[in-house]
Amino acid sequence: PDLGRVPKLVLRTRRRTAAAILIPGTAIAFYDGLAGPGTGTFLVITFTTLLGSDFVNAAANSKVINTATNLGALLVFAFQGHVLWTIGLAMAVCNIIGAQAGARMAINRGAGFVRVVLLCVVTALVIKLGYEQFT
């Protein structure tokens, strides 16, 4: 019940950190390249459960990784000429505004708020994917 509310004291050895990065990281990276939606949620869950991070720090770290993977994808698609720049830039501006608002809420309201939002997002994602699978 307290998962992610406060950092959990976990002995962070090199072996544990490497395992937490390599095993789920490889699976998440494969999923991110194949499908994409929900990657940040998977990263937050991984950082919280395997490395003992609280939800606020886990969310912040996942944003950095997600941004890097999105920039990599942008480079690949731009190199191939498959980017709609006007739409993409408009979406980027909205994403930055939303990220600022979300970061402020997470910092001001704490890990409990991030946890509730995370659970709502996971539930919505499961319902959406289930609906698409069976319709």
Side-chain angles (χ1 to χ4, degrees), residues 52-124:
S53 296
D54 63 277
F55 279 124
V56 174
N57 286 317
N61 289 328
S62 73
K63 294 294 182 193
V64 172
I65 292 170
N66 226 353
T67 300
T69 62
N70 289 337
L71 287 174
L74 176 63
L75 289 174
V76 169
F77 287 116
F79 182 72
Q80 296 175 355
H82 297 296
V83 177
L84 301 173
W85 289 104
T86 305
I87 295 171
L89 289 173
M91 290 175 67
V93 168
C94 293
N95 192 313
I96 290 168
I97 293 168
Q100 290 292 319
R104 284 191 179 98
M105 279 193 277
I107 290 169
N108 291 335
R109 295 186 181 184
F113 172 75
V114 176
R115 180 182 180 171
V116 169
V117 171
L118 178 70
L119 291 173
C120 290
V121 168
V122 168
T123 302

